[in-house]
């Protein structure tokens, strides 16, 4: 598959702030050695360089549809980026200390575009609810953000005083209802030869956890999983 | 640059934000317009030969500019080389506007700016940080200072 690699390389090395960076050891393959690489996380792209001064990445791991787990490995402070699928690759990485490992696991598990979009949709609903002055979700989708660089919304809603601490809008149940996609959104069917557009999209793979639960519950669930894994790992470390 | 191609292929099979058959012309001089099934998934634009299951290619939509090209087409170019344009032909002005809007909103960086904007607005109106309940209020990537022109 062709990929705009030159643009990717520029994205990797541009001067906007990165989401995380640091040295990690990367396992070459199942039976290979670890190589120390300089890692840069930008958005849902995890780039790795030969060293910190390199102008071009050795490679990139695209972080959609993956889970981040602690692993039992000979190497200390190891964790894995695991993809679903029969012959999918698992990337085993190791940090240089506990704090770095925890920082990376947290950053990587929240790096996907899907996750960010979920949070944005949640906040979009909350803002609409706050502006409407009550707790109910808005009766219709808020207008799309103007397609400009700075993403500032059109000030269309009436300027009602904010309700005192309304709390989060109640989750509309499975697959957030009217997905606040941009105006002119994806699932209008069109006449003519092009194939019909897919149904209103679900946010992740059909069997993935993201399609069924409210965002808050999901977040708590992931948090619990991470905590459980961590305490299990700590206990295993305590044993000789 | 190495990349996890299998995962990218799997991503191309995910439900799309937008998908349609469009005319597409690559950036090289002398490129010919070809019919392609074009599919927008997260911040990637995949393009397929109309009868094939695996994409011919993918474009990561970060640091790119979407411009209208008369009469009912648009182009994508990347900031490091604005002369290199990927051209797309739509079947109507309406379809063209729909695609341009969707592509402009498809970058991670755009999403991040939206999040920061909403967070700031909610905080101004309620005095509360909406990210606190998700435990991500301290994440560097969502701080106001991250907003750059």
């Amino acid at each position: 598959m062709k990929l705009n690699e030159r643009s990717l390389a520029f994205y990797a090395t541009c001067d906007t702030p990165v989401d995380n960076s640091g040295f990690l050891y990367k396992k070459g393959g199942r039976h290979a050695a670890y190589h120390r690489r300089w890692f840069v996380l930008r958005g849902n792209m995890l780039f790795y360089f030969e060293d910190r001064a390199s102008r071009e990445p050795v490679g990139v791991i695209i972080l959609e549809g993956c889970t981040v787990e602690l692993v039992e490995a000979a190497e200390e402070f190891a964790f894995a980026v695991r993809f679903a699928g029969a012959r999918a690759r698992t990337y085993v990485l190791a940090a240089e200390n506990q704090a770095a490992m925890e920082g990376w696991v947290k950053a990587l598990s929240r790096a996907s575009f899907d996750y960010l979009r979920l949070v944005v949709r949640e906040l979009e609903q909350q803002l609409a609810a706050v502006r409407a002055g009550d707790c109910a979700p808005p009766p219709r989708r808020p207008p799309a953000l103007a397609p400009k660089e700075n993403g500032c919304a059109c000030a269309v809603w009436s300027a009602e005083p904010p309700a005192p601490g309304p709390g989060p809008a109640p989750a509309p149940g499975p697959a957030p209802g009217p997905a606040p996609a941009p105006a002119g959104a994806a699932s209008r069917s069109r006449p003519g030869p092009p194939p019909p557009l897919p149904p209103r999209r679900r946010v992740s793979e059909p069997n993935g956890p993201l399609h069924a639960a409210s965002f808050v519950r999901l977040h708590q669930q992931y948090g619990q999983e991470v905590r459980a894994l961590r305490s299990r790992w700590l206990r295993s470390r305590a044993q000789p | 640059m190495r990349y996890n191609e299998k995962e990218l292929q799997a991503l191309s099979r995910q439900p799309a934000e937008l998908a349609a058959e469009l005319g597409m012309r690559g950036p090289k001089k002398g490129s010919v317009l070809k019919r392609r099934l074009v599919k927008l998934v997260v911040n990637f634009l995949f393009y397929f030969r109309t009868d094939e299951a695996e994409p011919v290619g993918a474009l990561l939509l970060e640091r790119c500019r979407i411009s209208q090209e008369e009469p009912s087409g648009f182009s994508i170019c990347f900031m490091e080389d604005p002369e290199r344009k990927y051209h797309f032909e739509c079947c109507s002005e309406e379809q063209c506007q729909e695609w341009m809007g969707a592509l402009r909103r498809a970058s991670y960086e755009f999403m991040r700016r939206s999040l920061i904007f909403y967070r700031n607005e909610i905080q101004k109106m309620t005095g509360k940080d909406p990210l606190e309940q998700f435990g991500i209020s301290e994440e560097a990537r969502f701080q106001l200072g991250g907003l750059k022109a």
Side-chain angles (χ1 to χ4, degrees), chain B residues 59-60 89 96 98 136:
Chain B
L59 297 175
L60 174 71
E89 289 292 327
C96 185
E98 184 178 13
I136 52 175

Side-chain angles (χ1 to χ4, degrees), chain A residues 1-2 4 7 19 44 58-60 62 107 110 124 126 131 149 162 182 184 186 190 197 201 219, chain B residues 2-5 17 19 43 56 58 60 78 80 98 105 109 112-113 118 121 125 133-134 139 141:
Chain A
M1 196 196 311
K2 284 189 248 177
N4 52 332
S7 307
D19 294 319
N44 57 348
V58 171
V60 61
I62 298 158
R110 292 164 178 158
E124 214 173 357
Q126 281 189 29
R131 284 181 170 173
E149 292 295 295
R190 58 178 78 260
L197 292 167
R201 70 181 307 287
H219 214 280
Chain B
R2 284 185 235 140
Y3 65 96
N4 44 335
E5 179 155 1
E17 189 66 30
N43 52 348
V56 174
L60 174 71
F78 295 89
E80 76 278 356
E98 184 178 13
R105 284 179 288 259
E109 297 307 319
R112 189 209 306 272
R113 285 194 295 265
Y118 285 132
E121 288 297 299
M125 294 184 78
Q133 64 177 138
F134 306 133
E139 296 235 342
R141 70 173 90 193

Side-chain angles (χ1 to χ4, degrees), chain A residues 5-166:
Chain A
E5 292 182 34
R6 198 171 356 156
S7 307
L8 238 81
F10 273 92
Y11 181 51
T13 53
C14 67
D15 54 10
T16 55
V18 298
D19 294 319
N20 208 4
S21 62
F23 284 104
L24 290 172
Y25 294 88
K26 178 174 172 292
K27 203 162 196 287
R30 206 156 10 150
H31 304 292
Y34 284 86
H35 294 281
R36 191 169 185 253
R37 296 272 181 254
W38 176 254
F39 278 78
V40 168
L41 173 65
R42 236 192 199 110
N44 57 348
M45 303 281 130
L46 182 62
F47 298 97
Y48 51 99
F49 298 77
E50 181 90 28
D51 57 58
R52 194 166 176 173
S54 304
R55 299 291 312 282
E56 192 164 320
V58 171
V60 61
I61 301 171
I62 298 158
L63 298 167
E64 290 297 323
C66 65
T67 53
V68 184
E69 317 171 346
L70 302 172
V71 289
E72 318 241 329
E75 196 74 16
E76 268 196 315
F77 314 118
F79 59 98
V81 178
R82 194 182 297 278
F83 290 88
R87 293 157 301 145
R89 172 93 189 258
T90 294
Y91 293 87
V92 179
L93 304 169
E96 295 183 315
N97 56 61
Q98 177 72 14
M101 184 199 71
E102 289 183 7
W104 275 106
V105 168
K106 236 189 344 172
L108 293 175
S109 51
R110 292 164 178 158
S112 72
F113 188 96
D114 259 349
Y115 173 90
L116 184 59
R117 182 161 48 191
L118 270 178
V119 179
V120 168
R121 284 183 177 162
E122 182 71 22
L123 293 195
E124 214 173 357
Q125 288 182 342
Q126 281 189 29
L127 182 56
V130 164
R131 284 181 170 173
D134 60 20
C135 288
R140 58 180 187 82
R141 277 183 288 130
L145 297 177
K148 287 200 185 308
E149 292 295 295
N150 58 12
C152 286
C154 327
V156 174
W157 297 304
S158 63
E160 264 151 4

